[in-house]
Amino acid sequence: MPQSHLSPLAHPLILPCGATLKNRIAKSAMSDSLGDGAGNPTEDQINLYRRWAKGGLGVSIIGEVQGTPHYPEKPGNLVMNRDSNLERLKQLAKAGATDGAQLWVQLGHAGAMADAPISTPKGPSALDLPGLTCGALSLDEIEALPAEFARTAKLAKELGFGGVEIHAAHGFLLNQFLSPLFNRRDDAYGGALRNRMRLLLEVIRAVRDKVGPEFPVGIKLNATDQLEGGFAEDEALDVIAAMDKRDIDLIDISGGTYFPGAASSSDRAGSGPYFLDFAGRARSKTNIPLMVTGGFKTLAQAESAVAEGKADLVGLARALVVEPELPSYWLAGQRAAPLFPRFKAPPEGGVTAWYTMQLTRHAQGAAALSPEDMDAAIEAYARRDEARREVWTRTFN
């Protein structure tokens, strides 16, 4: 019997809305920085998502797709609205659905952590901290957000994408509202957790109303911000319990933040998945399928997570940068432990730059980088961001 029939990763996953993922391996959302600087997909980006789909994934999620150009995370983000290059977006949706894969759009809004050179960062509350200064969103601006997310979700459906994921993790806007570090409001959107989760629940309701009952809607949620005084596991479990009363098809569990100076989960040392124990606790709070993202480095880890019922879907990120065709190998019982690069004393942000430029190499069919190429990768990454900031400013300002 072929190995793919034996692996728990090979089993299809039927979502509550009725859609089916062909297997249990997902490409979790990353900021691939492959937009053209005017919010549109590039040929490189289309090629990359086609390659991932051909590599055997059940679903890919495009990170940080903005509904407007006002609060981008990076100048390489996509912007999806009626002014976008809709034909190019359709090409991306089609490429990512190759060989029966699905391609979902992550609905992003960076809020207080928007890229300052091309935006005016605003979050739940005004902050003036080392490395982070932002204004506060007005009540009118907050109340307009659910409709904005919903418009983007509806357009994604019309363009042929397979689903959407609402981004409420990693220190971006909806996570900022959940976090008592960012959210110091004293109105209906601040204070007690029931108020801090209010916007998120309103976004979920608006998105579902726009896309209808049969289109997949997921949410990415932090198990913990890994910041003292921030959003922590017990509150995350309460939010998941609230999700169980909403029309959500998938809860993607991750953690950490891109708050300036904070260590991201993907950069910390560890030999195994970061959030499986939390996912086990979440099982008692919801029947919604759970995707666990972060730290999967071996086939055995991924298979046991699904076989033991802690995860319904395994989210891979850097593993798919190292080996874009990894799902097809894993489903065949091969390449059980892909080789990850080892860096000597990398500077802050250096690892992210290396992996991001490695994505570009894969998209272009070029030779892979080596760990010794980090300095060149950092320089190329910064140079490309600056060029795209110039394009963004000309296009949107």
Side-chain angles (χ1 to χ4, degrees):
M1 182 178 293
Q3 178 69 24
S4 60
H5 292 178
L6 298 174
S7 174
L9 300 176
H11 298 164
L13 176 62
I14 301 174
L15 301 174
C17 67
T20 300
L21 305 182
K22 69 175 185 178
N23 61 46
R24 304 302 182 95
I25 306 176
K27 197 285 291 184
S28 61
M30 294 182 279
S31 181
D32 58 47
S33 291
L34 285 173
D36 64 1
N40 300 308
T42 58
E43 198 64 35
D44 284 349
Q45 194 169 36
I46 292 168
N47 290 340
L48 180 63
Y49 280 90
R50 182 186 294 111
R51 181 172 180 178
W52 271 328
K54 287 183 175 180
L57 284 166
V59 60
S60 286
I61 306 172
I62 307 172
E64 289 295 334
V65 177
Q66 308 293 318
T68 77
H70 303 311
Y71 298 97
E73 171 262 348
K74 295 283 285 185
N77 288 168
L78 298 184
V79 178
M80 186 179 292
N81 57 39
R82 297 294 174 183
D83 296 324
S84 303
N85 186 330
L86 301 184
E87 287 305 312
R88 182 53 69 95
L89 286 165
K90 288 179 182 178
Q91 292 172 22
L92 176 60
K94 183 178 180 180
T98 300
D99 291 347
Q102 289 195 21
L103 182 57
W104 292 15
V105 168
Q106 185 184 67
L107 305 177
H109 187 306
M113 289 174 42
D115 192 47
I118 55 174
S119 64
T120 304
K122 288 185 182 180
S125 305
L127 298 173
D128 187 3
L129 302 171
L132 179 65
T133 301
C134 70
L137 291 164
S138 69
L139 188 59
D140 286 346
E141 288 173 320
I142 293 170
E143 291 176 342
L145 286 167
E148 178 184 309
F149 277 91
R151 283 193 297 270
T152 311
K154 182 181 179 184
L155 182 57
K157 179 182 178 182
E158 292 173 1
L159 292 171
F161 291 93
V164 294
E165 178 183 80
I166 298 165
H167 195 0
H170 297 169
F172 298 119
L173 182 73
L174 295 177
N175 179 229
Q176 291 162 22
F177 270 87
L178 292 172
S179 170
L181 286 180
F182 280 93
N183 187 346
R184 302 172 184 177
R185 301 182 71 92
D186 58 6
D187 59 11
Y189 291 94
L193 179 61
R194 66 178 180 276
N195 289 343
R196 286 183 275 125
M197 74 168 82
R198 185 184 305 276
L199 177 59
L200 175 57
L201 299 183
E202 291 175 348
V203 168
I204 292 170
R205 183 162 54 247
V207 167
R208 178 55 75 191
D209 287 348
K210 276 289 187 183
V211 301
E214 298 178 355
F215 188 70
V217 177
I219 178 172
K220 189 165 195 172
L221 184 72
N222 268 7
T224 170
D225 293 347
Q226 299 173 339
L227 292 172
E228 185 176 351
F231 185 64
E233 288 195 5
D234 287 346
E235 287 192 328
L237 291 171
D238 289 341
V239 173
I240 287 172
M243 296 296 102
D244 204 48
K245 302 177 179 64
R246 302 300 190 277
D247 291 329
I248 288 290
D249 295 295
L250 186 70
I251 299 175
D252 179 2
I253 295 170
S254 188
T257 178
Y258 293 107
F259 185 88
S264 70
S265 294
S266 54
D267 285 340
R268 74 184 189 181
S271 59
Y274 311 136
F275 305 112
L276 271 182
D277 289 343
F278 175 84
R281 295 179 67 194
R283 279 292 183 204
S284 66
K285 301 290 185 180
T286 186
N287 292 317
I288 297 169
L290 300 178
M291 171 174 161
V292 180
T293 294
F296 287 98
K297 293 181 172 63
T298 69
L299 172 60
Q301 291 167 348
E303 288 189 327
S304 65
V306 173
E308 293 170 10
K310 291 183 177 180
D312 298 289
L313 196 63
V314 170
L316 304 179
R318 289 182 174 178
L320 292 171
V321 182
V322 172
E323 178 53 83
E325 285 75 35
L326 186 63
S328 63
Y329 289 115
W330 275 9
L331 293 171
Q334 301 170 4
R335 301 200 184 179
L339 295 176
F340 288 85
R342 295 180 179 273
F343 304 105
K344 295 179 180 179
E348 183 176 347
V351 175
T352 295
W354 187 92
Y355 273 94
T356 305
M357 298 314 296
Q358 185 76 283
L359 284 180
T360 304
R361 293 294 191 103
H362 289 320
Q364 297 173 346
L369 297 172
S370 74
E372 288 71 32
D373 294 323
M374 175 168 283
D375 288 345
I378 293 171
E379 181 180 348
Y381 180 67
R383 187 169 58 247
R384 186 174 67 180
D385 271 2
E386 284 307 309
R388 287 180 174 165
R389 286 189 181 101
E390 292 179 5
V391 175
W392 193 284
T393 300
R394 290 198 304 268
T395 303
F396 299 118
N397 295 337

